[in-house]
Structures are given as C-alpha cells and as structure tokens.
Amino acid sequence: MLYRMEGIVIRSMDYGEGNKIITLCTESGGKVGVLVRGAKKSKSRHAALTQPFTYGEFVFFRNTGLGTLNAGEIIQSHHTLREDITKAAYASYACELLDRVLQDEETGAFWFKQLKACLEALESGKDPLIVMSIYEFKILQAAGYAPQLDACISSGQQCADEDMFISPRLGGVLCRGYKHFDPAALSVAPRTLKLLRLFAQMDLNRLGNIDVKDSTKLEIKHVMRQFMDMQLEVKLKSRNFLDQLDKYDM
C-alpha cells in the first residue's frame, strides 16, 4: 500500500552498502521505519531526506513492517541544528527520547507536534535548557506520568510552596509533614516549583523568551532529570553526551 505522510526523521542508520533506514515520527501514522535505497550514494536524490531532524513529506510503499521510500520533499531541513554541536546534542536527545517512549503502533499526533515545536524552538535560539525541560514535561504527560505539583501527593492538601518537597519517585510534591514517605524528596526554591507548574501548562508552539536565573535552570534540570529517571527509566546515549558538554562548558 502507498502512504503519503508528513514526518520528522528521529533516527537514521546505514543499511548495506548504499542504503539507509530512517525512523519517522509522523503526525498520522505514529512511528514508521522506511528503507531509502541508494541514500548513501553521492548522487542520490533522497540523501537529504535521511538527515536527522529533517521534516518532510514522505511517500512510501508498506504492507507490514518496514516501508520503502518512493518519493519525498523536504519541508524544513533544520540544517542549522546539525551545524551547531550544542543544538545538535539537544535535538538528538529530543529525538532519542521520543523514539524510546513512543511505541511503534501508537498514534503520533501529539508526539509529532511536540517534537516539531521543540526542534523549531531550538533552531530559533530559545534557551535549550528551558526548551528541553518543557519538552520533557510534555513527554511525561503524554506517557501518563505527569507530576502532581499543586497538592501533596500523599495527603491531597495544598501547602505553601516553602513547605513543599518534590518527590520524583512518588511523582509529585509532598508537604513537610509527609516528607517521611520519601526522605529523598528534593527541597527546591519556590520559584522553581512555580516555573515547573508553568511548564505543565505551557504550549511549546507559543514559547517566548523566558528569563530564568542560571541557578534556577540548574535546579529545574536536576528535578526533571530525576523525574525522567524515576518515571520512565530510560538510559539514553544522547543524554550522556549532553552531560559531557555541560562539563566542558563548566
């Protein structure tokens, strides 16, 4: 059967002497694997379509399993992401995270829109730590692990932000009187908690410039890292590379 879908290349790998297999996150068909014949050849008309982060329209034959590309057109190449090592690292993390969380047969509309908005925000120069924290929040929400940040996850009570602790293991906040349910719960600044609540409601497509102190950004990054590790339990090569970049920047 012939399919025509818009999609974003989230993974690209060599296959045989001259071919590539790309994994697409599509708006209408979820995650799809497509064989691109001759993509490694210098004169291939489809080589550009196999580049990571490329957003395009893909026409491919598929019965079951892997499809075979017939034609395609680039809508947005995102080449500037590939040319900047920091942007490329964040974009790679966004793609790998989605690839690991999104199941092959799962409807991809929400995931596709979040990834598309994330790549566009990174390319436009938005703060990558803020962009990625919001994106991670959306991934958690879509996967059914949205943190509960408005009321204590144990008592249901609403307390002052100064008396709240964040428990990535339990998936939300704990009042001071219930911290014994998770002694490892994190103490964070009230501003950090307020920003995390804001991220839960924010639309990546409408992200403006947010001025956040470096200390607050680092605290948000630490909290989100804990949530991702505790709730999703995925180990990603791209995140290890991001950590190495952070050490270099420091």
Side-chain angles (χ1 to χ4, degrees):
M1 186 178 294
L2 186 65
Y3 293 87
R4 181 185 297 271
M5 295 182 183
E6 288 188 7
I8 298 170
V9 178
I10 59 174
R11 180 156 39 104
S12 180
M13 59 180 289
D14 293 344
Y15 181 73
E17 292 186 5
N19 310 318
K20 284 192 175 186
I21 294 176
I22 56 175
T23 302
L24 303 173
C25 174
T26 70
E27 185 169 14
S28 57
K31 195 166 65 173
V32 179
V34 178
L35 172 66
V36 185
R37 298 189 184 280
K40 292 168 60 178
K41 296 179 180 178
S42 58
K43 296 182 179 180
S44 170
R45 60 193 176 94
H46 292 150
L49 283 165
T50 66
Q51 294 297 308
F53 325 136
T54 298
Y55 167 36
E57 183 179 64
F58 299 82
V59 181
F60 55 91
F61 290 100
R62 185 189 187 206
N63 290 321
T64 58
L66 198 66
T68 302
L69 189 71
N70 181 57
E73 182 178 348
I74 293 176
I75 298 173
Q76 206 167 355
S77 71
H78 288 307
H79 65 90
T80 58
L81 291 179
R82 297 188 292 273
E83 294 168 355
D84 182 293
I85 188 170
T86 301
K87 290 181 179 180
Y90 278 100
S92 295
Y93 171 61
C95 288
E96 187 182 6
L97 177 59
L98 187 146
D99 189 20
R100 291 288 296 275
V101 176
L102 178 61
Q103 301 301 310
D104 288 347
E105 302 303 322
E106 193 170 351
T107 302
F110 179 84
W111 307 87
F112 171 83
K113 290 176 182 177
Q114 295 307 312
L115 178 60
K116 181 174 178 289
C118 177
L119 296 181
E120 289 173 351
L122 290 173
E123 190 167 47
S124 67
K126 298 289 194 305
D127 189 312
L129 274 176
I130 298 300
V131 172
M132 206 50 56
S133 295
I134 298 172
Y135 178 77
E136 287 174 332
F137 219 112
K138 299 307 174 186
I139 292 291
L140 286 171
Q141 289 173 331
Y145 298 104
Q148 179 179 312
L149 301 177
D150 293 320
C152 177
I153 198 166
S154 291
S155 68
Q157 298 175 356
Q158 291 187 333
C159 305
D161 289 349
E162 292 79 4
D163 295 324
M164 288 283 198
F165 295 83
I166 294 181
S167 172
R169 182 174 66 83
L170 298 178
V173 292
L174 288 170
C175 293
R176 189 176 299 278
Y178 291 83
K179 188 176 183 292
H180 61 278
F181 284 110
D182 183 9
L186 306 172
S187 174
V188 299
R191 175 168 174 74
T192 298
L193 188 52
K194 285 183 174 65
L195 280 171
L196 288 170
R197 293 191 186 115
L198 177 64
F199 291 173
Q201 304 298 324
M202 190 169 287
D203 183 350
L204 262 176
N205 288 289
R206 299 180 180 178
L207 178 63
N209 291 314
I210 302 177
D211 187 19
V212 180
K213 293 191 300 184
D214 288 344
S215 58
T216 304
K217 284 194 291 186
L218 290 175
E219 197 166 53
I220 289 172
K221 177 184 176 182
H222 179 63
V223 170
M224 293 308 301
R225 172 67 60 88
Q226 293 294 311
F227 271 120
M228 302 302 284
D229 287 346
M230 293 288 184
Q231 299 298 324
L232 296 183
E233 298 181 339
V234 292
K235 296 185 181 297
L236 307 176
K237 293 180 180 179
S238 54
R239 199 177 77 174
N240 292 335
F241 183 66
L242 274 176
D243 290 342
Q244 293 300 316
L245 277 183
D246 288 344
K247 291 179 182 177
Y248 180 80
D249 291 339
M250 294 172 62

